Every structure is written in C-alpha cells, then in structure tokens.
Amino acid sequence: MSCPICRKSAVPEYRPFCSRRCADVDLARWLRADYAIPVPLTDAEDDTPDGDAQQPPESR
Ligand SMILES: [Zn+2]
C-alpha cells in the first residue's frame, strides 16, 4: 500500500500513510473539503426523476 499523499511506501504505524506529516496533511485536506462542500455527495443524484428520461431508447 502506498501513501495517498506522496505515493511513498506506507508504514504500519501511520498506515495508510508513510509518516505523521502525511497523515496530518490528509486530515487537514479532508476537513477543509468538508467545510468547502456544505452538501455531501450522496446517492441522491440518482434519485432525480429526469434520470430515466435522459436514457436513449435502445430497447426495441
Ligand atoms: Zn507520505
């Protein structure tokens, strides 16, 4: 498994990261993204009623 931050080999102590720094970077990035996106991405987009209407009529 490689570190998602710098792609280096991860160490068991900080898995999946290679060091505490990368773990902190990922945490900060995650928190920032959480604040930047008020509405979390969910499967709700698939519930749009227009979903079926946009599909091409391939069923003959
Ligand atoms: Zn790293």
Side-chain angles (χ1 to χ4, degrees):
M1 190 163 200
S2 59
C3 174
I5 303 301
C6 66
R7 304 300 181 188
K8 287 182 182 178
S9 297
V11 297
E13 188 176 359
Y14 298 109
R15 196 171 52 179
F17 307 102
C18 71
S19 63
R20 176 136 187 270
R21 177 184 289 184
C22 281
D24 285 344
V25 170
D26 183 75
L27 180 62
R29 185 182 295 178
W30 192 86
L31 289 176
R32 190 180 298 175
D34 191 41
Y35 283 125
I37 305 174
V39 181
L41 295 176
T42 61
D43 292 338
E45 290 189 17
D46 287 343
D47 279 343
T48 51
D50 292 342
D52 291 338
Q54 291 182 351
Q55 288 183 356
E58 290 186 30
S59 59
R60 293 187 198 174

